[in-house]
């Protein structure tokens, strides 16, 4: 049923086939149908690819300044989603794997909202390219958690997602639950690797409270970094492939 629904949308079909034939998932032969792709990816991964494809369509802007932020923001969101889901599976929280994926995909939705609002205001006020990137980044850093929380509430998302969006930058997450720690640790791993708008190569994941709370040791954290690096490399290859 999932394959049939995806097959009814040409753009979504293309994204699923591109993903199934990418370096990250490809087998010995190319797949040519959504049904074949569903066999290769598995139902859970097929759904993730479909969700990603739908969500990615939102990450666009007319302004070159704002568009330059959209691609790293999208890369960060999808990497955090995959990282959080991988951690849930690796650390024995399989019941949270799909929720962690969606949480990772949505955790920075406030930044997407703010970029869209900034662009709308710029057009209405005739500012053109008057907004500098440093100013936009300052707005994103200062307001994305609260505005993202408000958006999640307006959408009627489950509380676990709304609170995750609001609280993923809190300094103390020891009492915030497993889901938030999974997404926050994946978020920090992305920042450590430079995947996204905000980067911090000085981050040491092993000493984070999230790693301690989840019981993520050095080997798991090293594997997480490799997973995210492979995902980023596969994503770059996928983006450069002809559409």
């Amino acid at each position: 049923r999932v394959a049939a629904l995806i097959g009814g949308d040409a753009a979504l079909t293309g994204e699923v086939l591109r993903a199934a034939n990418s370096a990250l998932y490809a087998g010995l032969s190319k797949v040519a149908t959504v049904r074949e792709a569903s066999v290769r990816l598995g139902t859970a991964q097929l759904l993730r690819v479909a969700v990603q494809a739908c969500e990615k369509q939102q990450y666009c802007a007319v302004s070159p300044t704002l568009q330059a932020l959209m691609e790293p923001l999208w890369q960060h969101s999808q990497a955090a989603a995959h990282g959080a889901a991988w951690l849930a599976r690796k650390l024995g929280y399989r019941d949270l794997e799909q929720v962690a994926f969606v949480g990772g995909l949505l955790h920075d939705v406030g930044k997407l909202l703010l970029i869209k609002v900034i662009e709308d205001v710029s057009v209405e006020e005739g500012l053109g390219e008057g907004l500098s990137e440093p100013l936009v980044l300052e707005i994103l850093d200062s307001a994305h958690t609260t505005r993202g929380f408000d958006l999640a509430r307006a959408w009627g998302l489950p509380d676990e997602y709304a609170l995750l969006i609001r609280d993923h930058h809190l300094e103390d997450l020891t009492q915030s639950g497993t889901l938030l720690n999974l997404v926050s640790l994946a978020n920090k791993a992305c920042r450590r690797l430079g995947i996204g708008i905000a980067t911090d190569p000085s981050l040491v994941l092993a000493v984070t409270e999230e790693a301690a709370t989840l019981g993520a040791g050095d080997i798991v954290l090293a594997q997480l970094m490799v997973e995210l690096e492979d995902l980023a490399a596969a994503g770059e290859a996928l983006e450069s492939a002809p559409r």
Side-chain angles (χ1 to χ4, degrees):
R1 289 181 61 190
V2 172
L5 288 170
I6 292 174
D9 186 297
L12 194 52
T13 296
E15 289 296 325
V16 167
L17 291 177
R18 290 175 65 224
N21 288 306
S22 70
L24 192 62
Y25 303 112
L28 296 177
S29 60
K30 294 288 186 180
V31 298
T33 69
V34 173
R35 185 170 295 279
E36 291 174 343
S38 68
V39 172
R40 174 168 293 176
L41 298 173
T43 303
Q45 192 59 43
L46 179 66
L47 288 171
R48 291 181 191 176
V49 171
V51 171
Q52 282 184 188
C54 293
E55 183 68 12
K56 186 180 179 181
Q57 296 175 15
Q58 308 300 320
Y59 286 75
C60 61
V62 176
S63 162
T65 298
L66 299 178
Q67 181 59 34
L69 299 175
M70 284 295 199
E71 184 58 32
L73 179 58
W74 167 246
Q75 290 172 352
H76 176 79
S77 296
Q78 68 167 340
H82 280 275
W86 184 90
L87 282 169
R89 183 171 65 253
K90 189 71 174 181
L91 297 174
Y93 302 106
R94 283 189 172 271
D95 58 321
L96 292 176
E97 186 175 347
Q98 296 288 25
V99 179
F101 178 85
V102 176
L105 203 61
L106 293 176
H107 78 285
D108 268 347
V109 71
K111 291 184 178 179
L112 175 61
L113 169 66
L114 288 169
I115 290 176
K116 294 287 190 180
V117 170
I118 289 170
E119 180 159 67
D120 288 345
V121 171
S122 297
V123 171
E124 290 176 3
E125 299 296 328
L127 298 178
E129 288 299 305
L131 287 176
S132 66
E133 183 173 307
L135 176 57
V136 174
L137 292 177
E138 183 179 345
I139 295 172
L140 300 186
D141 288 341
S142 64
H144 78 277
T145 55
T146 53
R147 297 288 75 82
F149 174 77
D150 292 341
L151 180 62
R153 289 294 199 193
W155 280 348
L157 295 183
D159 286 345
E160 57 196 332
Y161 293 135
L163 295 175
L164 185 157
I165 291 167
R166 185 190 69 185
D167 297 339
H168 67 274
H169 282 306
L170 292 181
E171 292 185 6
D172 185 2
L173 296 177
T174 54
Q175 305 300 318
S176 298
T178 303
L179 176 61
L180 186 48
N181 277 273
L182 288 168
V183 174
S184 181
L185 183 55
N187 178 47
K188 288 184 176 179
C190 292
R191 289 172 57 198
R192 170 70 176 80
L193 290 170
I195 303 174
I197 296 173
T199 63
D200 187 356
S202 68
L203 270 171
V204 180
L205 299 182
V207 302
T208 60
E209 290 183 352
E210 294 90 335
T213 300
L214 295 169
D218 291 340
I219 294 177
V220 169
L221 295 174
Q223 290 175 325
L224 172 63
M225 300 290 276
V226 172
E227 287 288 326
L228 292 176
E229 287 175 334
D230 288 347
L231 176 68
E236 291 175 1
L238 193 59
E239 286 303 315
S240 64
R243 294 178 180 270

